């Protein structure tokens, strides 16, 4: 090996929330005995915030507990908005159910955070962590795997080596492609329209999931009385909706959502993306593992994708830590195989639950409408039916 080449125990490709959380978890759990590099292509604009148009994600209470375990949650909590009430309904039909944090005896059902805030928080954490090297801005040009290590060529011209490469570079992971790992892609034939909305009535911690003839529509409470909209519609409808001016869009959305938050008074910029279920056919290979959206990307209908990915992160951190504490090679296939085997039940059950919800709730065929309304009414009447689904949605599952 070239003596001038810097060697790291772990190199994580992708420094967004999944990759950054893994780096910080490994540092904490291994008491700073591992050398870690994080390669991130985009520097956050630390002096700028997208303001009204900031994008958001929902963290389940299970995710926040995991983040608390490694000392990260207190920093993130300061800019989070708790969800203490979820209202689920079907437009034009009788199906209706509600969940409250009080009923489930938890502080919150989940929390909404803005990605700009999260990005700044994690970037600062990585930059100031003594055993993590943040290589940013930089991208990976090539990975050359040998028996005992992998050599990585960076866009900066630098070459580094590592015992283990981890892909955390998102839904269309270039790192997974470079490892010749095949993905299985199922097109939901839907487009998600994303925007921030202001309403007459302050949401006060209330989240809404509404099933409309166009597709499921979610409004999540954000800071400053805003709500984060995710509206799943057909590709044809998305073109029409994206073509509306703001007033027409708000009127169209009002008709679909109803008046539970009063009048919808303002919309931010609208973004959109096609919805797929993407799964890597394997999540490990020689000295390689995939986590988060690089491993699987889900439909947003129940807000499960990111939270499933965080459970991947902590399970992989556990497996690496056990190997490191035993003095074993953390990149060995047996270590990674234990991670893949451990994650499969949760991944399969969450994917099955999400895909099942899509087929039931994103389908306007008459039998499906009847079925889901009976289900919603039954759930509201017999609360015990709700517990297994609620625990999974909250991330309170074995990992």
């Amino acid at each position: 090996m070239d003596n001038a080449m810097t060697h790291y125990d772990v190199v994580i490709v992708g420094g967004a929330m999944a990759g950054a959380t893994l780096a910080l978890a490994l540092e904490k759990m291994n008491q700073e005995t591992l050398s870690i590099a994080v390669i991130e292509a985009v520097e956050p604009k630390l002096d700028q915030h997208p303001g009204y148009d900031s994008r958001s994600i929902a963290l389940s209470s299970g995710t926040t507990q995991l983040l608390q375990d490694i000392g990260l949650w207190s920093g993130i909590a300061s800019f989070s908005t708790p969800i203490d009430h979820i209202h689920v309904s079907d437009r034009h039909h009788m199906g209706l159910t509600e969940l409250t944090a009080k009923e489930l005896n938890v502080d919150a059902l989940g929390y909404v955070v803005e990605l700009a805030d999260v990005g700044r928080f994690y970037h600062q954490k990585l930059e100031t962590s003594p055993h993590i090297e943040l290589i940013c801005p930089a991208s990976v040009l090539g990975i050359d795997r040998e028996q005992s290590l992998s050599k990585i060529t960076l866009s900066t011209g630098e070459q580094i080596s590592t015992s283990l490469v981890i892909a955390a570079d998102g839904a269309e992971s270039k790192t997974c492609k470079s490892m010749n790992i095949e993905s299985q892609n199922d097109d939901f034939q839907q487009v998600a329209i994303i925007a921030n909305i202001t309403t007459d009535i302050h949401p006060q911690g209330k989240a809404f999931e509404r099933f409309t003839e166009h597709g499921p529509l979610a409004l999540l409470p954000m800071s400053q009385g805003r709500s984060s909209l995710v509206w799943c519609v057909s590709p044809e409808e998305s073109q029409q909706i994206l073509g509306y001016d703001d007033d027409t869009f708000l009127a169209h959305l009002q008709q679909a959502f109803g008046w539970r938050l009063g009048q919808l008074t303002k919309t931010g910029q609208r973004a959109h993306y096609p919805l797929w279920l993407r799964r890597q056919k394997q999540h490990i290979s020689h000295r390689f593992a995939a986590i988060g959206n690089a491993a699987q990307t889900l439909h947003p209908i129940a807000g499960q994708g990111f939270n499933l990915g965080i459970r991947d992160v902590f399970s992989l951190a556990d497996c690496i830590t056990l190997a490191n504490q035993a003095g074993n090679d953390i990149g060995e296939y047996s270590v990674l195989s234990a991670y893949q085997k451990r994650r499969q039940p949760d991944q399969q059950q969450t994917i099955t639950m999400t895909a099942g919800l899509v087929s039931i709730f994103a389908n306007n065929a008459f039998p499906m409408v009847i079925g889901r309304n009976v289900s919603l009414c039954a759930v509201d009447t017999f609360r015990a039916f709700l517990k297994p689904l609620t625990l999974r949605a909250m991330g309170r599952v074995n990992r």
Side-chain angles (χ1 to χ4, degrees), residues 93-355:
H93 302 286
M94 63 183 179
L96 174 73
T97 192
E98 297 187 71
L99 286 172
T100 66
K102 186 177 179 182
E103 179 186 357
L104 294 168
N105 199 27
V106 292
D107 291 337
L109 298 169
Y111 296 83
V112 180
V113 292
E114 293 170 43
L115 291 175
D117 294 327
V118 170
R120 271 206 301 272
F121 171 80
Y122 273 103
H123 192 82
Q124 185 181 11
K125 280 281 183 189
L126 294 177
E127 279 199 314
T128 55
S129 294
H131 296 270
I132 299 171
E133 182 78 26
L134 176 61
I135 305 172
C136 175
S139 55
V140 173
L141 295 183
I143 301 173
D144 183 21
R145 287 187 288 179
E146 299 176 5
Q147 186 175 346
S148 61
L149 55 79
S150 293
K151 294 176 182 176
I152 301 172
T153 304
L154 300 175
S155 56
T156 58
E158 187 184 359
Q159 198 174 42
I160 59 177
S161 66
T162 184
S163 302
L164 176 60
V165 176
I166 296 168
D169 52 343
E172 297 188 47
S173 169
K174 290 180 180 175
T175 313
C176 287
K177 288 190 178 85
S178 74
M179 296 290 172
N180 295 318
I181 292 177
E182 286 184 45
S183 64
Q184 181 179 335
N185 301 315
D186 299 313
D187 187 351
F188 285 119
Q189 293 293 312
Q190 285 189 323
V191 172
I193 295 174
I194 314 292
N196 292 338
I197 305 293
T198 300
T199 56
D200 259 350
I201 299 171
H202 193 295
Q204 294 184 315
K206 231 181 196 189
F208 295 85
E209 181 106 37
R210 186 148 171 80
F211 303 107
T212 78
E213 61 269 34
H214 295 291
L217 182 166
L219 278 175
L220 304 177
M222 290 176 71
S223 63
Q224 300 164 349
R226 295 167 297 158
S227 291
S228 174
L229 169 72
V230 181
W231 191 5
C232 304
V233 299
S234 72
E236 298 76 30
E237 285 153 351
S238 74
Q239 291 305 308
Q240 185 180 349
I241 291 169
L242 290 164
Y244 291 149
D245 61 28
D246 285 358
D247 288 343
T248 309
F249 171 68
L250 285 170
H252 194 74
L253 179 61
Q254 185 92 62
Q255 187 181 17
F257 175 69
W259 295 85
R260 286 186 174 89
L261 288 174
Q263 186 166 359
L264 311 182
T265 57
K266 182 180 177 183
T267 178
Q269 295 173 8
R270 279 164 268 161
H272 66 287
Y273 59 91
L275 297 176
W276 294 74
L277 170 60
R278 299 183 194 275
R279 288 170 284 183
Q280 303 298 345
K281 290 190 176 176
Q282 58 194 84
H283 291 174
I284 61 168
S285 181
H286 176 63
R287 298 198 171 275
F288 171 79
I291 57 168
N293 279 346
Q296 68 268 310
T297 308
L298 276 57
H299 191 288
I301 190 168
Q304 290 300 296
F306 175 77
N307 296 292
L308 176 65
I310 286 291
R311 299 200 290 275
D312 290 347
V313 163
F314 279 86
S315 295
L316 181 56
D318 286 344
C319 292
I320 291 171
T321 301
L322 283 171
N324 185 44
Q325 288 172 346
N328 296 331
D329 180 348
I330 62 166
E332 276 192 348
Y333 198 80
S334 59
V335 177
L336 305 178
S337 183
Y339 157 66
Q340 180 164 269
K341 186 177 179 184
R342 176 173 166 175
R343 291 302 300 137
Q344 278 174 336
D346 181 22
Q347 288 168 348
Q348 194 54 54
Q349 287 163 23
T350 304
I351 288 169
T352 300
M353 180 191 87
T354 302

